[in-house]
Amino acid sequence: NVNGYTKIKFRKGFSLLELLLTIVIITMLIVPLLKILESIQKRTKLIDQQMTLETSIQHSLDWMMEDIITGTSQGLQVYVDADSFGWHDPCTVKIAPKKGSGIKPDMVREVEWVTAPRYEQEDLVLFRKVKSPIKDETTPYIPLCEDILSLRVELMEPNTFPMNDPNALPALIEITAEL
């Protein structure tokens, strides 16, 4: 004590309590931010999966329309399974020569599109099978996309297409997919 004043010692650094308090405050700020980032990451992943699924089904449906247009321009008939109008029901679309049309089945490529339920799942898988006139072997069904809830193919005028006007086809057929 000099002249009535107390000498104050200045210390360098922080006490352990101050450091612990700072760590707790920083942790309280970071934890909610990490939860928000995790939520954003999960949402981004879901959006990416949905976009991939939508792109896959759009590509498959475009391919189906291309098969229908090509087949009908070759004089083939489009057959749609009559039971394909219910929820979660399998659907079959076959593009093949019409019986009695004079077109030999071994001269054209037949295409079949089928949705079938996945084993122990509640969704459908879309398959495509091409029977080539050149090959005698059995061709497999190729899975193109999954996670489809419903696929409906409706012919506006069942099994009748203007064979000489493929541009009229999109107006005569309606394809609806529910994901």
Side-chain angles (χ1 to χ4, degrees):
N1 193 357
V2 179
N3 298 332
Y5 294 103
T6 306
K7 188 174 177 184
I8 301 175
K9 282 186 172 180
F10 290 100
R11 63 176 195 260
K12 294 182 180 178
F14 299 100
S15 71
L16 183 59
L17 182 61
E18 291 171 329
L19 286 175
L20 287 175
L21 186 61
T22 304
I23 290 173
V24 168
I25 291 172
I26 291 173
T27 303
M28 289 173 53
L29 293 173
I30 290 178
V31 168
L33 288 176
L34 289 176
K35 287 183 180 181
I36 290 171
L37 289 175
E38 181 183 0
S39 171
I40 290 171
Q41 185 180 20
K42 285 180 182 178
R43 181 75 177 143
T44 303
K45 186 176 179 180
L46 286 173
I47 290 170
D48 184 51
Q49 289 173 341
Q50 185 68 23
M51 297 278 293
T52 301
L53 177 62
E54 289 175 8
T55 302
S56 173
I57 190 68
Q58 184 63 53
H59 173 74
S60 297
L61 296 180
D62 289 345
W63 198 0
M64 183 186 292
M65 278 305 299
E66 183 180 316
D67 284 345
I68 291 170
I69 291 171
T70 302
T72 55
S73 68
Q74 295 173 352
L76 301 179
Q77 191 71 33
V78 177
Y79 300 96
V80 177
D81 185 355
D83 295 331
S84 65
F85 302 109
W87 175 259
H88 197 69
D89 288 336
C91 173
T92 301
V93 176
K94 187 174 183 178
I95 305 150
K98 185 177 181 180
K99 293 179 174 114
S101 67
I103 300 173
K104 295 180 181 179
D106 58 343
M107 299 300 289
V108 293
R109 179 181 73 142
E110 292 182 15
V111 180
E112 189 172 1
W113 290 81
V114 177
T115 56
R118 201 163 24 165
Y119 182 69
E120 294 185 357
Q121 300 276 336
E122 293 188 13
D123 65 336
L124 298 169
V125 179
L126 180 62
F127 295 91
R128 181 177 186 260
K129 177 182 177 179
V130 177
K131 183 181 173 190
S132 175
I134 301 169
K135 297 179 182 176
D136 289 334
E137 61 201 47
T138 305
T139 54
Y141 284 94
I142 307 296
L144 295 177
C145 54
E146 51 191 33
D147 296 326
I148 300 170
L149 295 178
S150 173
L151 179 70
R152 296 179 184 160
V153 178
E154 297 181 53
L155 302 177
M156 299 303 141
E157 298 174 28
N159 293 327
T160 58
F161 284 97
M163 299 300 179
N164 56 359
D165 187 11
N167 294 327
L169 289 177
L172 296 172
I173 191 165
E174 181 178 337
I175 301 173
T176 307
E178 295 180 54
L179 308 175

